Amino acid sequence: ESFICDMPDILPEIVAALSLKGQVMSCPRQTFLFPRALAMPGAQHVIDNTTKATANTCSWFPLLMTELKAFSALFRVYDHRVTIRACVPDTAEHEGLRVAIMAYTVTFAKWRWGTLHGCLKCARSLTCLEQFWNKALFKNSREQGIVNTVDSAIRRKHFWIEVDFLYELESVFNAFRMWASGCACHDLQRSRGETVKCPIQGCRLPELYGKVSSVVRELTKNAERVSPDLHCYVEAVAYAAGMLNAKLAFLGSLPYSLARAR
């Protein structure tokens, strides 16, 4: 991390805090710990916080989150996926659903809002499961609470609508998240799914100010693909735009604005 962050040197305080009782450790203070860059909020933290706050503007989100976690808990067990797949006819017409069931291995990690996109993507691939789902297959399971939650979610009409809605929203955030962790010199390779290592990966300050506007435009455009049954999309987009602009407002002030002229 040498030459990364322009922050006061806190090393002496850390050394003193780690000193054992009766053993004094000292360390000379430098002028700056990392003298060649500007300290700023991490883009990933900004995006994750915006994702969480925007989703929570929807009154139904806590219930949906509980249901998605139940899906992950049930489907992450291989034997459970095999049992559920056995309910689906082994025909070409239903092969996509059978594959989707076996591919459902994602989980939502606490405080890692980027994992929400994978959960939504997998749940969205199971929209045809209702006609084959049979709760009785798990009547002897010790996880009846999870099974009951999944059963009620599958049969709840608005579950699938809410999954679609949040998927459209989170897809934009996820693309922004991937962009922020990349670099301008390898965007094409990353878009192809290639793994790229670059010394300036994540250094997006010169481009970040303009990127916010394009993210908001993409969120607005997605409103056309969302079910009219959910009227909170416009409010959610407005909230997300306001939060992104507020958290990244410092980009318009000195010395950060100088990066845009680079």
Side-chain angles (χ1 to χ4, degrees):
E1 294 182 345
S2 180
F3 305 133
I4 293 181
C5 297
D6 184 12
M7 298 173 63
D9 182 11
I10 59 172
L11 187 57
E13 283 77 7
I14 293 176
V15 171
L18 294 176
S19 298
L20 298 176
K21 186 175 181 180
Q23 295 181 352
V24 179
M25 298 171 62
S26 62
C27 178
R29 183 180 299 279
Q30 306 172 62
T31 302
F32 290 98
L33 187 59
F34 304 130
R36 296 196 178 180
L38 294 171
M40 60 176 284
Q44 298 288 343
H45 291 293
V46 171
I47 298 168
D48 280 0
N49 288 338
T50 303
T51 299
K52 176 183 177 181
T54 302
N56 277 294
T57 62
C58 304
S59 59
W60 41 262
F61 178 68
L63 173 60
L64 179 65
M65 195 71 257
T66 299
E67 293 169 335
L68 287 174
K69 288 179 179 179
F71 264 79
S72 293
L74 184 67
F75 279 78
R76 69 185 174 194
V77 179
Y78 176 79
D79 289 344
H80 291 173
R81 298 199 301 276
V82 171
T83 299
I84 297 169
R85 184 182 61 176
C87 299
V88 181
D90 188 4
T91 62
E93 180 184 359
H94 300 106
E95 182 61 21
L97 178 57
R98 290 171 59 85
V99 171
I101 291 171
M102 296 307 296
Y104 201 128
T105 58
V106 299
T107 57
F108 177 77
K110 190 176 183 181
W111 309 123
R112 295 290 181 268
W113 286 87
T115 58
L116 177 60
H117 181 261
C119 293
L120 292 166
K121 184 177 181 180
C122 284
R124 201 166 179 249
S125 67
L126 301 180
T127 51
C128 298
L129 183 60
E130 181 180 0
Q131 58 183 310
F132 306 111
W133 167 256
N134 184 0
K135 175 185 173 182
L137 292 171
F138 296 97
K139 63 181 180 180
N140 296 322
S141 172
R142 291 176 295 178
E143 301 174 333
Q144 284 303 307
I146 292 174
V147 173
N148 290 337
T149 301
V150 170
D151 180 68
S152 62
I154 289 175
R155 303 185 187 286
R156 185 170 71 87
K157 173 188 173 183
H158 278 85
F159 171 78
W160 304 108
I161 298 174
E162 290 161 7
V163 165
D164 276 342
F165 165 85
L166 205 57
Y167 178 78
E168 295 294 344
L169 193 70
E170 173 54 22
S171 291
V172 179
F173 287 133
N174 193 59
F176 189 14
R177 192 178 288 110
M178 296 296 292
W179 175 89
S181 63
C183 55
C185 44
H186 293 101
D187 277 340
L188 182 58
Q189 291 89 329
R190 287 171 64 87
S191 68
R192 294 171 181 162
E194 299 176 19
T195 301
V196 179
K197 292 184 178 180
C198 179
I200 63 170
Q201 189 169 308
C203 299
R204 292 289 206 178
L205 182 56
E207 311 153 82
L208 189 55
Y209 189 83
K211 183 66 176 178
V212 176
S213 298
S214 65
V215 169
V216 173
R217 285 195 299 271
E218 188 66 24
L219 286 169
T220 305
K221 184 173 67 175
N222 279 6
E224 301 172 0
R225 301 196 291 269
V226 175
S227 170
D229 291 349
L230 291 174
H231 304 291
C232 61
Y233 194 90
V234 175
E235 290 80 3
V237 169
Y239 185 90
M243 190 167 181
L244 284 174
N245 285 325
K247 283 187 169 291
L248 299 175
F250 69 90
L251 294 173
S253 61
L254 290 172
Y256 303 97
S257 58
L258 294 176
R260 290 153 51 194
R262 198 178 75 177

